[in-house]
Amino acid sequence: MSKSPGSGFDAVIVGGGVVGLACAWRLAGRGARVALVERSSPPAGATRVAAGMLAPVGELSFGEPELLKLTLEAAELYPAFVADLETASGRETGYRRLGALHVALDRDEAAQLRRVHELQRSLELEAEWLPPRRCRELEPGLTPSFNGGVNAPGEAAVDPRALSEALLVACEAAGVELHLEVEIERALIEGERIAGVRTADGAELRAGATVLATGAWSGRAEWPPEAARPPVRPVKGEALELRARDGAAPCARIVASERVYLVPRPDGRLIVGATVEEAGFDTAVTAGGVHELLREAYRLLPDVAEMELVEAAAGLRPGTPDNLPRVGPSPVEGLLWATGHFRNGILLAPLAADQIADRLAASLPYPAHTAGNGKFAEEGVR
């Protein structure tokens, strides 16, 4: 479903996952004239399958200080981001600061979790090692035998599908021109720069900046010049949605082990995720993947055995060689990247949106909030 385009846009966003939608909404909120093109219907791409953990402390990995800086900054942005979004859309996003408990199920896992906790403490992150008894006080449904855990009370979660729906409504309200279920046919090239895109239904969307936000497909997109394709590959992940028959999820906070994480929803659903597999663009749900997730979830929280299996799904995360996102100018003038967020796309979306909006606004000789009716396009962007 495509609307007739106007004479020109400040920005065209290609990709309707949560990152693309957030970029479009933030730009429109600053007065830019924005079009968004998505080949399916939101929630699109990895957004549809994501669990929605906002967990920079618990997801901390060795040797990734730049990524930690980004995730912590994004987590600080989230409360204001969702408050603004829920006001603008009139929709709930499922955002809750519910905390997370990372559990070591055996001695080997305990040794590794202790190492991670030492790193958390050295960085002065909010995390506390708890013995099994204290863990059970927080989560009585935990397995009877385990070796302790790390409590990260500041972690949060959001419902990515609800977040996507809220962003879509907010984009429409802000005047973003939506082209959904529409493929890109080719880039519009003017000299050495990209000046927009032509869609498969014949619409030419000319813009001062085009933003590539197609997640795992960004590196394989055929419409940009080869030099403008980011180093992004698909990383498959399978996830499950369970539902408590009594309407109450079996845990109050995010509960995770070395091999699985469980994210409760307020309505009694439980998201179980997620496998990690280098499988190209394969999105088949496999018996092995479902078995692995259910087995590890049961080892951690036995009550999941009584829950209804609602859905099994597979998605593709946009991985990069260094696990860092690619947000900013591409090697080709006029094209920006907002992709490569791997396991942190939901968390990093507000930060990516602000970075894209700031970069476009920075090219203007006047306040961003006055930059309507194509003025971004007049200035262009590198």
Side-chain angles (χ1 to χ4, degrees), residues 12 14 210-214 218-219 221 223-224 228-230 335-339:
V12 171
V14 181
T210 301
V211 181
L212 177 62
T214 54
S218 298
W223 57 269
R229 299 171 192 171
L335 181 70
L336 283 78
W337 291 336
T339 186

Side-chain angles (χ1 to χ4, degrees), residues 56 58 69 107 131 183 194 198-199 230 300 307 374:
K69 180 181 178 181
R107 283 183 292 182
E183 296 272 3
I194 291 178
R198 178 182 173 88
T199 64
L300 185 59
M307 300 184 75

